[in-house]
Amino acid sequence: AQNGYPISPTLGQYWQLGYNKFKETLSGEEFTSWFKTFAPDGRAPKIGEIWRSPGHADTLRKIAETKAESFYRGELAERIDAFSRQCGGHLSKDDLAAYAPEWVTPIRVHYKGYHVWEIPPNGQGIVALMALNILKEDDFLAKESVDTYHRQIEAMKLAFVDGLKYVTQRDQMKVTVEDLLSDQYGAARRALIGEEALMPEPGEPVRSGTVYLATADGEGNMVSFIQSNYMGFGSGIVIPGTGISMQNRGHTFSLDPNHHNYLEPGKKTYHTIIPGFLTKGDQAVGPFGVMGGFMQPQGHVQVIMNTIDFHLNPQASLDAPRWQWIEGKIIEVERDFPEHIALALERKGHQIKWGMGPGGFGRGQIIWRTDDGVLVGGTDHRTDGTVAVW
């Protein structure tokens, strides 16, 4: 932040798109600080150009020196509160002071000899687990097979519509995580998959802007970590002089009072960012993640199946062409997706759209530990990530 960072290719592309969008849509004094911080020369920084943000550097020093007290109860909290009130916002210093991190127990499903772990709701990791729970009884003999893609897509659609209906803050969900991940419910959803593309509907279980990184060390410690402002640059509100860009993670809620995900004070509504983890027996295999909004659980399912069903190494698992369910029967596929399979999927009733670039198909990272204790990493070619070893 202090000395500058050279803008990398993928970052530069999205920065320019964000700038273009904000230039067209944001007006008013409350957004002036965003442009001063992220477009200091009246434009987005160019690829390869050094960008500096001394406000960020000063903020990070204050957070470090006060052990985060400045952000939650001190000077930074006061500045956030003041600018929020100036802009007609609702975030107050009392909200910041009342915040406490939540330690949660991850949720999991057993998939063909492995356990796949995700963060529980309000995150959407359960969507990936529901899809894998539907697919776990199938034997996939070939990756590049129309039947493989068809069943993956159908399972993903069924899991997603359930997630979009039921997922919210866990203690306010009207169905339990255990019900959604039960063998019985997985089997019932699996039975709906036929030869033709279906129009997905939520089931009725029995009642009882993102950065991902992974790291591991030689002592067996592993971390799966994800953070996001959402929608690229978040809300467009930057606290003057601090570099703090206010996020937009509360976006995915409903204003229908009858919806499971209805917005209420203090409630953590549906959240898209989900770090993943894989274990076998009582041993950690490693962390994995695919960032990218609603592509995330779809990317998790594809990466895990590439690893377990098709025995691809981490880099090949990430490099494989991807698809994503958009809505109804609409499936978007990458430009290098096999055309003959796309045509075969259309014959099954799927509506295929060809993606214009890699941006919408997620950007992932993986570290697996082999039986011999060797750490093997992969980084997505769709982003500026790298595998660093020391």
Side-chain angles (χ1 to χ4, degrees), residues 79-361:
R79 294 174 75 169
I80 291 170
D81 179 279
F83 196 64
S84 176
R85 283 187 281 107
Q86 180 182 327
C87 297
H90 299 281
L91 182 67
S92 73
K93 60 184 179 182
D94 292 336
D95 294 319
L96 293 166
Y99 174 77
E102 183 182 358
W103 186 268
V104 298
T105 301
I107 57 177
R108 69 179 187 179
V109 294
H110 187 264
Y111 185 79
K112 302 182 180 181
Y114 294 80
H115 279 111
V116 185
W117 300 79
E118 298 278 0
I119 296 294
N122 60 316
Q124 64 174 349
I126 192 173
V127 173
L129 298 185
M130 286 190 288
L132 291 170
N133 201 38
I134 294 169
L135 294 164
K136 66 183 181 182
E137 299 298 330
D138 290 322
D139 292 322
F140 296 102
L141 302 179
K143 173 172 170 44
E144 302 304 328
S145 154
V146 64
D147 184 63
T148 294
Y149 284 109
H150 173 67
R151 296 193 71 81
Q152 283 181 323
I153 291 167
E154 296 298 272
M156 197 74 247
K157 287 156 62 174
L158 290 167
F160 237 129
V161 293
D162 278 343
L164 292 172
K165 177 175 181 179
Y166 294 121
V167 170
T168 188
Q169 185 166 300
R170 187 169 183 173
D171 61 6
Q172 297 196 34
M173 286 176 59
K174 298 177 183 178
V175 298
T176 68
V177 167
E178 292 74 20
D179 288 337
L180 290 169
L181 295 180
S182 70
D183 289 341
Q184 294 85 351
Y185 189 59
R189 300 300 266 165
R190 188 182 310 119
L192 298 176
I193 300 176
E195 291 299 315
E196 298 291 324
L198 57 81
M199 185 63 72
E201 296 288 344
E204 293 291 340
V206 178
R207 297 185 186 275
S208 6
T210 303
V211 174
Y212 176 83
L213 64 87
T215 186
D217 66 20
E219 297 179 350
N221 299 299
M222 292 178 159
V223 178
S224 184
F225 177 86
I226 198 163
Q227 183 275 340
S228 177
N229 275 16
Y230 207 41
M231 298 182 173
F233 282 100
S235 64
I237 297 291
V238 171
I239 308 303
T242 69
I244 296 174
S245 178
M246 305 302 285
Q247 45 99 329
N248 197 26
R249 286 274 21 144
H251 179 273
T252 313
F253 57 82
S254 171
L255 291 178
D256 178 356
N258 296 315
H259 196 282
H260 296 242
N261 205 35
Y262 179 57
L263 182 65
E264 299 174 74
K267 183 178 180 180
K268 296 177 180 177
T269 52
Y270 188 106
H271 209 309
T272 64
I273 61 173
I274 50 171
F277 206 91
L278 186 67
T279 61
K280 187 174 185 180
D282 60 354
Q283 297 296 313
V285 177
F288 70 96
V290 179
M291 46 191 151
F294 292 104
M295 179 64 203
Q296 290 185 50
Q298 307 193 60
H300 281 207
V301 168
Q302 291 172 61
V303 162
I304 287 297
M305 291 187 68
N306 288 344
T307 298
I308 297 175
D309 291 274
F310 309 121
H311 313 292
L312 299 184
N313 65 48
Q315 192 59 55
S317 295
L318 291 167
D319 286 343
R322 293 187 189 141
W323 53 266
Q324 63 173 320
W325 174 65
I326 305 299
E327 61 178 351
K329 297 183 180 182
I330 300 174
I331 306 298
E332 189 173 54
V333 298
E334 288 191 288
R335 299 303 299 179
D336 56 349
F337 190 90
E339 186 174 4
H340 69 285
I341 292 179
L343 294 173
L345 289 170
E346 285 186 331
R347 291 193 290 273
K348 285 183 171 291
H350 299 281
Q351 299 172 25
I352 302 297
K353 292 178 58 179
W354 291 91
M356 297 305 294
F361 292 91

Side-chain angles (χ1 to χ4, degrees), residues 26-42:
L26 300 187
S27 61
E29 187 176 336
E30 65 268 33
F31 299 113
T32 300
S33 187
W34 186 93
F35 289 98
K36 286 182 177 179
T37 302
F38 294 109
D41 297 321

Side-chain angles (χ1 to χ4, degrees), residues 4-51:
Y5 175 79
I7 304 301
S8 47
T10 303
L11 173 61
Q13 175 188 353
Y14 285 107
W15 203 313
Q16 184 65 56
L17 291 173
Y19 172 79
N20 293 344
K21 176 183 177 182
F22 281 3
K23 184 79 171 171
E24 293 176 1
T25 60
L26 300 187
S27 61
E29 187 176 336
E30 65 268 33
F31 299 113
T32 300
S33 187
W34 186 93
F35 289 98
K36 286 182 177 179
T37 302
F38 294 109
D41 297 321
R43 56 171 175 77
K46 297 177 181 178
I47 293 171
E49 188 174 24
I50 300 293
W51 173 77

